[in-house]
Amino acid sequence: WDKDGELSLNEFVAMCRSLGFSMENANHIYDTLNFAGTSALGFEQLRPVANESVSFGHMRLLALGEFPPPDGSTKVMEVADEDRSTSVEYDEFLKVSCSYLAVVNESDLASVFSVLDVAAAGVLLQEQFNFLTATEFDVPAVRHLIKIMLGLERPTMVEVDASGDGKVNAVEFSTWLYKMLAVSNASATRIFQDLDTCERGVLSPEQL
């Protein structure tokens, strides 16, 4: 289906249609994978639906597609928490990941579970499990999300400062958070205001 190293919308839809998906579902899946708004899907964006290693970031993308906002976090918790303990045990995590997200590699799932299980308790509290589908964050939560999805020393000024003027305005900040982490615009605005302690309307490298 790929003719140039990437899958365009038309190529992706044609592939999905050949597998029995409706046009509507094919477009929905494409939009979910392409939340960054690129012109075509590359290998990294396709990894969640390919037979490849799946990271927390990929799992989050899949979960957001299957359980989209505004009520996705509530719905996935209802599905996962079978014993109604208000937490998600490892076996429950495996089951919902396999059944709803089609992720079956247990070593990948164990790695994702450990990323969420910051206290190494062997069980995920609701607020920990919700990291898979949440779009509303405060500063500490988005800092943790950046760490587990992108790693340390991110973001860099260069990747957020789209204009290249050495400062990050609210639009640049919100755009980067949405494209990279699927954080809502409302949350991005609040986080920007919390970081902009001087109320200058821009963030310096030190504030970022």
Side-chain angles (χ1 to χ4, degrees), residues 12 24 37 57 68 77 85 113-114 133 141 148 153 163 165 178 188 195:
F12 186 83
E24 181 181 2
M77 188 66 186
S85 63
F113 187 90
S114 67
T133 51
I148 58 181
E153 307 301 328
S163 65
D165 62 358
Y178 178 73
L195 295 175

Side-chain angles (χ1 to χ4, degrees), residues 45-156:
Q45 291 162 297
L46 287 166
R47 181 171 287 188
V49 294
N51 187 23
E52 299 288 343
S53 177
V54 175
S55 67
F56 168 81
H58 302 128
M59 282 279 289
R60 177 166 158 78
L61 189 59
L62 290 170
L64 282 168
E66 187 68 25
F67 301 97
D71 55 356
S73 292
T74 300
K75 288 183 176 179
V76 71
M77 188 66 186
E78 289 175 353
V79 169
D81 183 22
E82 292 185 333
D83 62 4
R84 298 298 178 255
S85 63
T86 70
S87 59
V88 177
E89 286 79 23
Y90 181 65
D91 287 344
E92 291 175 326
F93 180 79
L94 291 183
K95 186 172 182 179
V96 71
S97 299
C98 294
S99 301
Y100 287 85
L101 307 181
V103 178
V104 296
N105 186 316
E106 188 168 351
S107 63
D108 287 346
L109 292 175
S111 177
V112 173
F113 187 90
S114 67
V115 164
L116 295 170
D117 183 18
V118 291
V123 62
L124 301 179
L125 302 178
Q126 184 169 352
E127 55 266 31
Q128 294 171 318
F129 183 66
N130 280 351
F131 262 84
L132 282 174
T133 51
T135 57
E136 302 297 326
F137 294 90
D138 57 14
V139 172
V142 85
R143 184 184 295 122
H144 183 61
L145 184 65
I146 289 171
K147 179 181 177 182
I148 58 181
M149 284 191 66
L150 305 177
L152 300 175
E153 307 301 328
R154 299 283 298 276
T156 63

